[in-house]
Amino acid sequence: MIELRHLRYFIAVAEELNFRRAAERIHIDPTPLSRTIRDLEDQLGVQLFMRMPRKLRLTPAGVRLLKEAHKLFIRLERTQRIVRLTDARYRAPLRIGVADGIAQPKLVGADRKLSQFGGAAENLDYLEM
């Protein structure tokens, strides 16, 4: 399983095309960064970088991984935002207006049913109109 941390490291190296600058960017030492990239290459079974003296270039597989990793992180951010938004909507109070006690008996039954769903009735307010 590829770790998100490894993909973040890969993105930094791929964008900087330099291990030292990438390490500075993500605040780690270059040695573990290089080791992590090699582990990622071993795990994927492909070479992601062409390593030459004083030069680093992406292979076609590296170019593709960079593109897919960016898409993955965008999707992850969207997913986190959607989950938080869903949670906020669930926690928002539900207000029900009741006219002169006509519907009171029915609302008591509804309140009992909602309480069976583990706290769903906590955010329920009845307002007499």
Side-chain angles (χ1 to χ4, degrees):
M1 177 72 75
I2 297 173
E3 294 182 33
L4 293 177
R5 175 178 55 91
H6 292 176
L7 289 177
R8 282 191 181 98
Y9 290 0
F10 166 75
I11 289 171
V13 175
E15 289 176 351
E16 297 291 337
L17 291 176
N18 182 291
F19 279 98
R20 184 187 49 77
R21 285 194 307 262
E24 288 172 2
R25 174 174 152 181
I26 55 178
H27 309 290
I28 67 168
D29 193 66
T31 304
L33 175 60
S34 179
R35 191 176 319 118
T36 299
I37 296 301
R38 286 207 187 270
D39 290 346
L40 181 61
E41 289 176 322
D42 290 343
Q43 192 172 14
L44 292 171
V46 298
Q47 187 176 354
L48 299 170
F49 296 96
M50 290 182 278
R51 293 164 176 85
M52 297 169 269
R54 301 244 178 234
K55 196 169 186 182
L56 192 65
R57 296 179 74 184
L58 283 169
T59 64
V63 170
R64 184 59 185 249
L65 181 60
L66 180 60
K67 182 178 175 182
E68 296 301 322
H70 279 300
K71 286 181 188 178
L72 178 70
F73 280 108
I74 289 168
R75 179 70 183 174
L76 182 61
E77 287 173 21
R78 286 181 185 156
T79 300
Q80 289 173 338
R81 198 173 4 179
I82 288 168
V83 168
R84 287 184 187 121
L85 184 60
T86 300
D87 182 63
R89 285 182 181 162
Y90 172 76
R91 293 174 186 268
L94 173 62
R95 292 188 172 90
I96 300 174
V98 181
D100 296 330
I102 295 173
Q104 285 290 19
K106 290 183 180 179
L107 287 175
V108 170
D111 191 34
R112 282 189 202 128
K113 287 194 186 271
L114 280 172
S115 65
Q116 295 172 354
F117 293 103
E122 326 179 319
N123 293 332
L124 187 59
D125 293 335
Y126 297 112
L127 306 171
E128 287 200 35
M129 307 194 62

